Amino acid sequence: MKKVRIFVLEKRKTQLFCWTALTLLLACISLWVYLSGLPANTFVDPKSGIIVIDPGHGGIDGGTNKDGILEKEINLDVSRKLRTFLHEKGYTVVMTRDEDIALDHLNNTGQNRHQRDLNARLDIINGSNAQLFLSIHVNCNFKKTSTDGGIVFYDDTFAENKRLAYCIQRTLNGMEIDGIKRTIHDPVESEYYLLSFSKIPGAIVETAFMSNSTERHLLTTDEFREQLARAVADGAEIYLKQSGEVLLPDSHYKRHILIN
């Protein structure tokens, strides 16, 4: 009798193990089917409250310049101000750089210094567990120096990129300088390395035009840089707090200017 009881007990243990293993296997298969059924550009928001700010250029890479005014310095100062405003709104901020340096020394992959620099920025962005990233730049169009205003660039890597771009574009378009509005732009879909290879939504924010004499002068002032930073922070907050697409009326000023 003892042998029979032991046999039955061992059989029940074996059955329980098999059922447990089968349940786990089915759960794994279901999860795989679910994830594989998601579109390639689906972003699962971690709701982390983290935002990455990427001040463009830095160090040996000065970016665009005119009359001794360097883009890299403007980008960093606007980004620091943007960080302050986002902190005030309750967000945690990760900076790809917080001083005048290039980042190529942080990554050894890439065919040249510029590629290594971008990959280092991607390392920070993709390892941040952030909800979005903002790459801050200054634009230029020396062939048409009258061009002014801010333009936000996005791509279709994530559906959220477009909504983020529209939110920030709206707040940049709403800026006034001495009671006068700058040129209103639509956000522009384009291909940028950071946008294409980031694992989180993001936008390239071209805050103003170095090639425009009026905006070039304004970019040297603390007040204008602060105004730009506040507009970008407000746009990012709108994106994070609203669901669905934020639409803007079509602009009469669509300019596809890719300067980086």
Side-chain angles (χ1 to χ4, degrees):
M1 293 299 291
K2 290 182 179 180
K3 290 183 179 181
V4 173
R5 287 173 181 171
I6 293 172
F7 175 78
V8 172
L9 182 60
E10 293 299 328
K11 184 176 180 180
R12 288 176 178 173
K13 285 183 178 179
T14 301
Q15 289 176 335
L16 179 61
F17 173 79
C18 290
W19 277 112
T20 302
L22 180 61
T23 301
L24 289 173
L25 178 61
L26 291 174
C28 291
I29 292 174
S30 298
L31 179 62
W32 178 81
V33 170
Y34 169 74
L35 293 176
S36 62
L38 292 174
N41 64 343
T42 296
F43 171 68
V44 180
D45 193 337
K47 305 294 184 182
S48 61
I50 299 173
I51 297 174
V52 178
I53 301 176
D54 172 46
H57 308 285
I60 192 173
D61 180 5
T64 188
N65 65 89
K66 177 71 174 176
D67 299 337
I69 303 170
L70 299 178
E71 178 189 356
K72 66 174 184 176
E73 297 173 354
I74 297 169
N75 295 342
L76 183 56
D77 188 52
V78 171
S79 294
R80 286 171 173 167
K81 288 175 168 53
L82 174 58
R83 174 178 59 188
T84 297
F85 290 131
L86 290 174
H87 278 166
E88 291 175 354
K89 294 176 182 291
Y91 298 102
T92 300
V93 174
V94 174
M95 300 276 285
T96 59
R97 70 180 180 96
D98 195 16
E99 55 184 318
D100 183 19
I101 58 171
L103 303 181
D104 54 291
H105 64 286
L106 299 178
N107 187 290
N108 59 9
T109 60
Q111 298 180 346
N112 52 52
R113 184 204 61 76
H114 182 62
Q115 186 76 61
R116 293 192 297 274
D117 179 85
L118 289 174
N119 285 337
R121 295 171 195 267
L122 276 173
D123 289 341
I124 297 171
I125 292 169
N126 291 336
S128 64
N129 192 42
Q131 293 183 261
L132 62 93
F133 79 90
L134 303 167
S135 190
I136 306 300
H137 292 264
V138 174
N139 215 332
C140 71
N141 181 8
F142 288 114
K143 292 183 178 180
K144 192 170 184 180
T145 57
S146 62
T147 305
D148 70 326
I151 303 179
V152 184
F153 293 87
Y154 69 97
D155 77 352
D156 62 356
T157 301
F158 296 107
E160 289 85 355
N161 287 2
K162 182 177 182 179
R163 187 164 64 87
L164 173 62
Y166 268 84
C167 288
I168 297 174
Q169 188 70 64
R170 185 176 70 176
T171 53
L172 286 173
N173 285 346
M175 287 178 55
E176 292 186 359
I177 311 300
D178 294 330
I180 301 174
K181 283 194 173 184
R182 301 191 297 166
T183 299
I184 294 175
H185 294 278
D186 287 329
V188 176
E189 182 177 357
S190 188
E191 292 185 3
Y192 280 89
Y193 190 82
L194 287 183
L195 294 174
S196 297
F197 292 97
S198 68
K199 296 179 181 179
I200 63 174
I204 308 295
V205 184
E206 301 278 1
T207 56
F209 278 83
M210 178 80 74
S211 48
N212 181 287
S213 60
T214 300
E215 289 204 333
R216 184 166 64 252
H217 169 71
L218 287 170
L219 283 167
T220 65
T221 67
D222 192 67
E223 293 78 10
F224 184 61
R225 295 181 186 187
E226 185 172 295
Q227 192 175 1
L228 289 169
R230 189 182 296 278
V232 176
D234 289 346
E237 185 177 46
I238 290 170
Y239 162 79
L240 289 170
K241 289 190 173 181
Q242 287 188 353
S243 59
E245 184 134 349
V246 177
L247 298 177
L248 290 177
D250 287 339
S251 166
H252 296 292
Y253 305 92
K254 293 184 180 179
R255 296 190 174 92
H256 296 239
I257 303 162
L258 302 179
I259 304 294
N260 245 354

